[in-house]
Amino acid sequence: LSDDGQRAVDEFIALLDLEQIDDDIFRGGNPKSVQRPDVFGGQVAAQALIAAGRTVDPDRAVHSLHAYFIRRSNPKAPIVFTVDRIRDGRSFTTRRVVAVQRGQGIFALEASFQLDQPGIEHQVPMPARPSPQSLATSTGADAEVIDIADDRPFLRRWPFERRRVPTTADDVEPTRGEWIRTTGKLPDDPLLHACAITYASDLVPAAAVLKAHNLDIADRAHVQVASLDHVIWFHRPCRADEWLLYEAESPSASGSRGLATARVFAEDGRQVASVAQEIMVRVR
Amino acid sequence: LSDDGQRAVDEFIALLDLEQIDDDIFRGGNPKSVQRPDVFGGQVAAQALIAAGRTVDPDRAVHSLHAYFIRRSNPKAPIVFTVDRIRDGRSFTTRRVVAVQRGQGIFALEASFQLDQPGIEHQVPMPARPSPQSLATSTGADAEVIDIADDRPFLRRWPFERRRVPTTADDVEPTRGEWIRTTGKLPDDPLLHACAITYASDLVPAAAVLKAHNLDIADRAHVQVASLDHVIWFHRPCRADEWLLYEAESPSASGSRGLATARVFAEDGRQVASVAQEIMVRVR
């Protein structure tokens, strides 16, 4: 974990350090050095989750979020997050967050938080995959996913390190595995780790959908993609600054939309999250 | 499809025929003959989807919905559904619906509708399962899921016929397959078929989660379950009055919550939907 890597993570943490405008109204910025035609979806989702979490007792952890991307975001304008305290129940707390830019809702997220309440336990086994230590850090097309208009390499500021798992012959469905962790340490606050998973998990689905068609997300002249929604279930506590395996597949695409689902495992085999996202795909 | 079956379906259609209070405000009833301590979650979700769809041009079909169950519902009170017209875009229309009873939000749903826009196409193969014609209609514990306080057999009024697929030895994960169709004909309106899938798909996840622990959902003295959320992606047009295979599994349970995901296939093998739901499970 280099100094550059820690600096990128510190910038990521700063992005999540929203300015409090009123009890339930927060304002978030965008990274100045990144030139994109829109705000990276994972960033808006992570900022919205932070806004929700700021209104919830820290003894309740986020266990799920559901979000819709509503309008194209503007990377040059701040984003205002307004939290609606939907419910404070005995065990569960529900929040809704609407993200607005210049009077228009660009994104809406609902999240549910829960007191720690032990109960039944099970999970699917982690698939056998090469360890992150045995793989090289991915570069190239994938690293460019979130750098559409800028010719500076985005990885310089990208707070996540990604190690792609080679496709194996026994895949019965188009799958796509990737080890991801932040490039530096995160503080111990569990909400920040959930935000990092939220941010990172917006990267994986598009690639899983396009893989089935040998389309390259970097081929912007022919392929246009946009996140439509995002859902995450956080099953077990984990650290996003340690390696997490995102095991993604795309069960279906039709009507210019593709769905991808992912299971997220810690290196010790615990399933820490499940993710799903539908993306719009237009091929010229 | 018996006369009784058609009558149950006609009652289901009547439940979805909401009373229009104002442009974007609708009121729904509950079946009088069914005694339950709360409203069946799939019913609230289906009614909310109808309310959303009533405010959308019929040339746009629902392709996804995300919902949270917020408070316990009251089966003796009507439910008022207020629609927020989040966005009317060139291709996509987004709606939010809040369901209220006696001043309190019990349920919130967001749904997205889209013009028919062909594009990339793929899907996972349907797993090899016995045909619905070769299986018997399921009765017993499962049929009682939605009939908690009444000792009349619920199937008399239950608008869905279910045929459980026996567990096969080659299941690597706890899976649960079921053929489901309405017990009578539905009109051709695609929104009604989406509502029927919404209603039916609230039944499958709890069983998939409990199966991993040999818990019986009908053992109400020891097992308490409640739906926490619900997400459906509608991939391809289909009819809910023809057999659909719900192939469910539960990847994870922890913290007294269990997640189940399901893929829904038409008998011809087309994947018509993907479903996920997290349920709360308390074992005494």
Side-chain angles (χ1 to χ4, degrees), chain A residues 41-42 44-45 67-71 106-108 202 227-230 277:
Chain A
V44 185
Y68 269 112
F69 293 89
I70 300 168
R71 285 184 185 84
I106 59 164
F107 174 83
D202 193 63
S227 302
L228 295 172
D229 60 4
H230 199 164
Q277 184 169 65

Side-chain angles (χ1 to χ4, degrees), chain B:
Chain B
L1 300 179
S2 67
D3 287 355
D4 270 3
Q6 188 62 52
R7 196 150 50 231
V9 170
D10 291 345
E11 284 166 356
F12 172 66
I13 295 166
L15 265 182
L16 298 178
D17 187 18
L18 307 179
E19 175 191 2
Q20 189 151 12
I21 306 291
D22 197 274
D23 282 15
D24 300 340
I25 305 175
F26 303 87
R27 181 161 55 191
N30 288 306
K32 284 195 194 70
S33 58
V34 182
Q35 300 296 318
R36 281 174 51 98
D38 57 4
V39 183
F40 173 55
Q43 177 195 313
V44 185
Q47 288 175 320
L49 178 58
I50 277 284
R54 288 258 202 110
T55 70
V56 178
D57 195 318
D59 67 355
R60 294 172 179 228
V62 61
H63 69 88
S64 71
L65 66 83
H66 293 260
Y68 270 112
F69 293 89
I70 301 169
R71 286 186 184 83
R72 185 162 199 142
S73 52
N74 178 351
K76 297 198 194 318
I79 310 170
V80 176
F81 298 90
T82 302
V83 181
D84 186 355
R85 297 179 186 237
I86 302 280
R87 186 181 179 225
D88 287 281
R90 269 179 308 183
S91 307
F92 290 90
T93 294
T94 318
R95 293 290 182 264
R96 179 166 199 250
V97 183
V98 176
V100 170
Q101 284 188 308
R102 295 178 175 169
Q104 293 213 300
I106 58 164
F107 174 83
L109 170 143
E110 298 202 29
S112 183
F113 300 73
Q114 185 200 18
L115 281 176
D116 186 27
Q117 296 174 320
I120 58 170
E121 279 279 345
H122 69 252
Q123 71 158 74
V124 291
M126 180 164 76
R129 295 289 181 255
S131 72
Q133 293 76 18
S134 69
L135 299 167
T137 295
S138 311
T139 52
D142 266 20
E144 289 175 68
V145 169
I146 49 152
D147 171 27
I148 290 173
D150 195 348
D151 50 12
R152 283 172 294 177
F154 193 89
L155 274 183
R156 249 187 246 162
R157 300 183 40 82
W158 181 234
F160 291 89
E161 187 177 356
R162 305 167 66 178
R163 298 194 177 178
R164 189 112 39 95
V165 175
T167 304
T168 53
D170 68 332
D171 284 345
V172 286
E173 299 172 2
T175 63
R176 197 191 142 87
E178 215 171 340
W179 292 97
I180 304 180
R181 68 172 176 188
T182 56
T183 55
K185 277 283 171 206
L186 286 170
D188 288 340
D189 179 4
L191 185 61
L192 281 179
H193 292 263
C195 287
I197 290 174
T198 303
Y199 191 93
S201 66
D202 192 65
L203 287 165
V204 178
V209 171
L210 297 180
K211 186 186 171 198
H213 301 273
N214 284 318
L215 291 171
D216 185 349
I217 200 167
D219 178 12
R220 292 159 204 155
H222 296 101
V223 182
Q224 184 197 356
V225 303
S227 302
L228 294 173
D229 61 5
H230 199 164
V231 49
I232 309 177
W233 294 272
F234 299 97
H235 301 308
R236 294 172 182 82
C238 70
R239 295 194 65 94
D241 54 9
E242 295 175 357
W243 288 115
L244 298 176
L245 175 66
Y246 291 69
E247 188 74 13
E249 62 181 338
S250 174
S252 179
S254 62
S256 77
R257 309 174 317 272
L259 178 66
T261 59
R263 292 171 175 173
V264 186
F265 299 91
E267 222 181 327
D268 62 9
R270 287 177 313 123
Q271 187 180 3
V272 299
S274 295
V275 176
Q277 184 168 65
E278 192 173 38
I279 64 163
M280 190 204 69
V281 183
R282 294 205 169 120
V283 183
R284 286 182 205 95

Side-chain angles (χ1 to χ4, degrees), chain A residues 97-120:
Chain A
V97 183
V98 176
V100 171
Q101 284 189 308
R102 296 179 175 170
Q104 293 213 300
I106 59 164
F107 174 83
L109 170 143
E110 299 204 28
S112 183
F113 300 74
Q114 186 201 19
L115 281 176
D116 185 29
Q117 296 176 319
I120 58 169

